[in-house]
Amino acid sequence: MPLVVLLRRLIYREIMADLAHKRNFCIVAHIDHGKSTLSDRLIQKAKIIDDRQFQNQILDSMDIERERGITIKSQAVTIPYTAADGQNYELNFVDTPGHVDFSYEVSRAIASCEGALLLVDAAQGVESQTLSNMYLALEHNLEIVPVINKIDLPAADIPGAMHQIDHDLGLDGESAVLVSAKTGKGIDELFEAIVTRFPPPTGDLSGKMRALIFDCHYDPYRGVIVHLRMIDGALKPGQTIRFMNSGTEYKVESTGIFRIKLQETKQLEAGDVGYIIAGIKTVSDVRVGDTITLAEDPAQEALPGFKEVKPVVFSSIYPIDSNDYEELRDSMEKLTLNDASLVYEKDSSLALGHGFRCGFLGLLHLEVIQERLERDYDQAVIFTAPSVRYLIKLTSGEEKYIDNPADYPDPGRIASAQEPYIRASIITPATYLGSIMALCTEKRGVQTNMQYLDEKRVEITYEMPLAEVLFDFYDRLKSYSRGYASFDYDIIGYQPTELVKIDILINGKGVDALAQLAFKGNAYDKARHVCSQLKEEITRQQFKIAIQGAIGSQIIARETVNALRKDVLAKCYGGDITRKRKLLEKQKEGKKRMKMVGDVELPQSAFLAVLKTKEE
């Protein structure tokens, strides 16, 4: 046998043996089922961080995540593990978000793995986002291992959870791994399940280098740090890479893996999850879902990447000081690098100047972006009232999508309007069914299905307008069900609606940043709500200020900020009444002239009050 062939076979066996000792997996579940706590126990068990440096929610690196107790960003970490048979393994795992607004983060994490731990709370059971994340994992052909968490709770119902895994998910409930992420019970069994039940990664180490970008973040000193999953080949510092989407090339400065902090390695190989630093300062060159290959020996075909994200909630962002526009633009670029689901374009307003029109995956996503801009990038910003994207059919036959009230055409040119509808799936204890059905009906929902999952839980399905769930729906759902109901939704298309534009007039002048698009039946309540909020925020002037909500030329709501009145009669110590009347008339004429030329300055808090305060 020729020596070259023999060497190739030996290298191939070594490569396959190396791949056989790697596992890439993620942890998915409904919100608050213990993903981050389980991640903490896995990291502690592997001893990749000193006990003195350890803290709870260690993978949740943002203050917002810790304060709210939620995971917003998927975080990867590589941990070593020695199995019961003495074999050493390299485990790459990702802790994913549970909230429906961050499902895009989950899809990206799933695309870089071969297996998924599906976490089920022993007390809560299977919930709506559990189902959604399982289907997401099945779409990518992942091996799923069910894990029942919180078995130490007094309310834990392990047989019930196993039955739900069998009945609701179609998985084998008896094969579920029982753990308590809080106490650490069952973690050893879980590690063994990971190495025995998940398949090793596939890839060709001797093939042309291809890697999938699944995340990025920006370092002010080192530029863009690219998170990637190696598919084929190997990558070393000093090699020149090419981004297949943009065609730009960079020389790799360092490669490494995630060990809570970044840890440099000599190279990254097929099957690895790691990062590269290549001195990338141009943020727009890097795109999540792009394929990286070697410039000197490029691959011919790019990897599939991720499906395009479709924002459902739209709002405009403006800097409080118009001179900060350039800084805000740079901050938005860096934020988009770290959050690929954020979509934005330039926008302008007469009241607020230049800004950006942004698309979000939900209202929580919007709130998180606002907090990240203020905390991470030190930007003082204003958000306009959120809106959804409507489909307008004009009398000329043209169709156009609008999400900004400024783009609303003349009502005489509109033939019909449609708004996005969702299919909402709610799983709730039967005790709270009546109040939740009343809430859905109030939000213009139409029930399409109701199914009793067992004697205690029921799943109801409604079709309702997306605009109705933007503001207070989720909060009221949790309030009515005492936190036990779970909610998930999918966009199902557009349906006809009666759409109107509500203009807000201050002292007779329209404020474009406060205009809203709304369903005609809700227009009066929305206008009254905005007017009453503005009345509390606008400071009193020397003249009366009328705050009006209008549809076209018709005023549908009004509040008045009363004038500050100087006591012009203070210098009159008696005398004829005509003298006093003359002074009062003179004051009245002065106020009338002042109202004609006086401008009302809206404080920044007025825009925030309209956005943040929930509708009654």
Side-chain angles (χ1 to χ4, degrees):
M1 183 181 295
L3 183 61
V4 176
V5 176
L6 185 62
L7 283 171
R8 279 181 181 172
R9 287 188 178 181
L10 288 171
I11 292 168
Y12 182 76
R13 284 177 191 166
E14 189 180 327
I15 290 166
M16 296 319 292
D18 191 38
L19 282 175
H21 301 140
K22 292 179 181 178
R23 297 290 184 274
N24 299 326
F25 67 96
C26 57
I27 306 175
V28 295
H30 188 82
I31 190 170
D32 201 29
H33 278 208
K35 297 179 297 301
S36 298
T37 311
L38 183 60
S39 301
D40 291 346
R41 295 296 83 77
L42 292 173
I43 290 166
Q44 271 190 313
K45 188 74 177 177
K47 298 187 182 302
I48 63 171
I49 188 169
D50 193 273
D51 287 341
R52 289 175 301 171
Q53 297 175 308
F54 183 80
Q55 57 180 335
N56 289 332
Q57 287 179 263
I58 193 161
L59 289 183
D60 292 343
S61 55
M62 288 186 281
D63 291 338
I64 311 168
E65 294 178 311
R66 295 180 181 281
E67 288 169 13
R68 292 179 177 240
I70 58 174
T71 300
I72 294 167
K73 281 293 300 172
S74 298
Q75 298 288 350
V77 63
T78 301
I79 59 177
Y81 172 66
T82 304
D85 60 3
Q87 181 63 56
N88 292 322
Y89 287 88
E90 184 183 282
L91 309 180
N92 299 307
F93 85 91
V94 186
D95 173 29
T96 63
H99 197 281
V100 65
D101 280 15
F102 305 108
S103 57
Y104 190 61
E105 286 287 328
V106 181
S107 70
R108 283 158 47 195
I110 283 173
S112 59
C113 299
E114 280 79 36
L117 296 177
L118 186 66
L119 223 55
V120 176
D121 188 325
Q124 301 270 15
V126 171
E127 298 194 72
S128 53
Q129 201 63 24
T130 317
L131 281 163
S132 293
N133 287 336
M134 186 192 74
Y135 290 139
L136 209 55
L138 288 174
E139 281 178 22
H140 289 80
N141 298 316
L142 264 61
E143 182 70 30
I144 298 174
V145 172
V147 179
I148 298 176
N149 189 24
K150 304 188 184 181
I151 59 172
D152 59 308
L153 292 180
D157 180 10
I158 296 171
M162 286 182 172
H163 171 72
Q164 289 177 24
I165 290 170
D166 268 327
H167 183 263
D168 299 353
L169 303 179
L171 302 174
D172 183 8
E174 295 295 326
S175 69
V177 183
L178 306 181
V179 301
S180 169
K182 185 177 180 181
T183 64
K185 185 179 180 181
I187 297 299
D188 289 331
E189 291 81 357
L190 182 59
F191 266 120
E192 285 300 311
I194 289 167
V195 298
T196 56
R197 294 167 65 177
F198 286 148
T202 56
D204 182 6
L205 187 55
S206 58
K208 294 186 177 184
M209 198 284 285
R210 291 194 304 171
L212 180 68
I213 302 174
F214 68 89
D215 206 355
C216 305
H217 73 273
Y218 188 83
D219 185 285
Y221 302 105
R222 309 201 69 177
V224 179
I225 297 176
V226 181
H227 304 201
L228 46 81
R229 159 70 198 273
M230 294 291 293
I231 306 298
D232 299 316
L235 181 61
K236 299 176 183 178
Q239 292 181 310
T240 302
I241 56 167
R242 179 182 298 163
F243 294 100
M244 294 188 77
N245 180 55
S246 61
T248 52
E249 297 182 1
Y250 290 93
K251 188 175 182 180
V252 177
E253 296 173 3
S254 66
T255 59
I257 57 174
F258 302 101
R259 286 281 180 92
I260 308 302
K261 295 181 180 178
L262 306 181
Q263 180 177 312
E264 284 196 30
T265 58
K266 291 181 180 179
Q267 67 173 13
L268 291 174
E269 302 173 346
D272 285 343
V273 174
Y275 70 89
I276 60 167
I277 298 172
I280 304 167
K281 299 293 183 184
T282 310
V283 173
S284 57
D285 284 352
V286 186
R287 185 179 176 188
V288 169
D290 196 2
T291 302
I292 293 177
T293 188
L294 291 178
E296 57 266 23
D297 187 18
Q300 299 302 314
E301 191 176 341
L303 296 162
F306 310 110
K307 64 181 181 182
E308 285 292 319
V309 62
K310 293 181 180 177
V312 294
V313 178
F314 298 85
S315 178
S316 293
I317 307 177
Y318 300 96
I320 286 179
D321 184 349
S322 57
N323 295 324
D324 295 338
Y325 173 75
E326 295 295 331
E327 284 184 28
L328 178 60
R329 187 188 64 190
D330 293 341
S331 300
M332 291 292 289
E333 276 192 4
K334 292 169 185 173
L335 188 56
T336 311
L337 185 72
N338 193 235
D339 184 352
S341 55
L342 174 64
V343 178
Y344 70 94
E345 60 185 18
K346 290 181 181 179
D347 192 19
S348 62
S349 159
L350 293 174
L352 298 171
H354 292 290
F356 299 96
R357 188 70 180 172
C358 302
F360 307 92
L361 299 185
L363 210 60
L364 177 62
H365 188 206
L366 183 152
E367 289 177 20
V368 166
I369 292 297
Q370 181 178 4
E371 287 198 41
R372 290 188 70 184
L373 280 171
E374 291 173 353
R375 293 187 186 196
D376 300 351
Y377 300 98
D378 199 25
Q379 296 294 313
V381 292
I382 298 171
F383 277 67
T384 60
S387 171
V388 298
R389 178 168 284 169
Y390 296 93
L391 173 60
I392 305 293
K393 293 184 179 179
L394 303 177
T395 50
S396 62
E398 182 189 352
E399 292 186 355
K400 60 187 294 187
Y401 289 93
I402 62 164
D403 55 69
N404 195 337
D407 299 331
Y408 188 73
D410 187 297
R413 295 175 54 215
I414 299 175
S416 65
Q418 296 183 5
E419 63 180 328
Y421 265 65
I422 60 169
R423 183 183 293 108
S425 171
I426 301 168
I427 298 176
T428 176
T431 316
Y432 312 112
L433 185 60
S435 56
I436 290 174
M437 290 175 72
L439 171 65
C440 293
T441 305
E442 179 192 329
K443 295 292 185 180
R444 297 193 281 145
V446 177
Q447 186 177 323
T448 58
N449 190 28
M450 182 166 72
Q451 177 185 359
Y452 277 84
L453 302 174
D454 51 42
E455 61 276 4
K456 292 182 180 178
R457 298 182 312 137
V458 60
E459 179 181 13
I460 51 175
T461 306
Y462 274 83
E463 289 184 4
M464 63 175 69
L466 176 62
E468 294 290 345
V469 301
L470 284 189
F471 288 95
D472 59 348
F473 179 82
Y474 195 71
D475 291 337
R476 287 174 65 183
L477 177 69
K478 287 295 180 186
S479 175
Y480 290 168
S481 65
R482 299 184 184 178
Y484 285 104
S486 63
F487 172 69
D488 188 30
Y489 67 84
D490 296 305
I491 306 292
I492 57 172
Y494 282 77
Q495 293 188 22
T497 186
E498 291 185 78
L499 185 66
V500 293
K501 178 186 176 184
I502 304 171
D503 289 306
I504 302 299
L505 310 176
I506 308 292
N507 205 18
K509 296 178 182 177
V511 182
D512 57 348
L514 292 176
Q516 295 184 24
L517 298 173
F519 173 63
K520 190 174 182 179
N522 298 341
Y524 169 71
D525 292 331
K526 277 183 177 286
R528 191 180 63 173
H529 166 74
V530 173
C531 291
S532 63
Q533 291 303 315
L534 289 175
K535 183 183 178 183
E536 301 296 321
E537 296 295 332
I538 294 176
T539 52
R540 292 170 69 187
Q541 305 289 332
Q542 294 283 342
F543 52 90
K544 281 186 179 181
I545 301 171
I547 305 168
Q548 298 168 310
I551 298 175
S553 60
Q554 182 184 4
I555 304 297
I556 59 171
R558 175 181 171 129
E559 295 284 349
T560 304
V561 180
N562 288 323
L564 287 169
R565 182 179 171 187
K566 182 181 177 182
D567 188 2
V568 293
L569 303 182
K571 58 186 178 183
C572 293
Y573 298 101
D576 191 73
I577 188 68
T578 55
R579 187 178 171 211
K580 293 182 180 179
R581 190 171 293 138
K582 182 180 177 183
L583 288 170
L584 290 171
E585 288 295 326
K586 190 176 178 182
Q587 183 188 43
K588 188 176 178 182
E589 288 297 320
K591 286 185 180 293
K592 191 180 292 184
R593 284 197 306 275
M594 194 181 289
K595 185 176 182 179
M596 289 169 64
V597 298
D599 281 331
V600 180
E601 284 194 10
L602 279 178
Q604 311 299 352
S605 57
F607 295 96
L608 299 176
V610 171
L611 171 62
K612 286 187 174 181
T613 307
K614 306 293 187 228
E615 293 181 50
E616 297 177 355

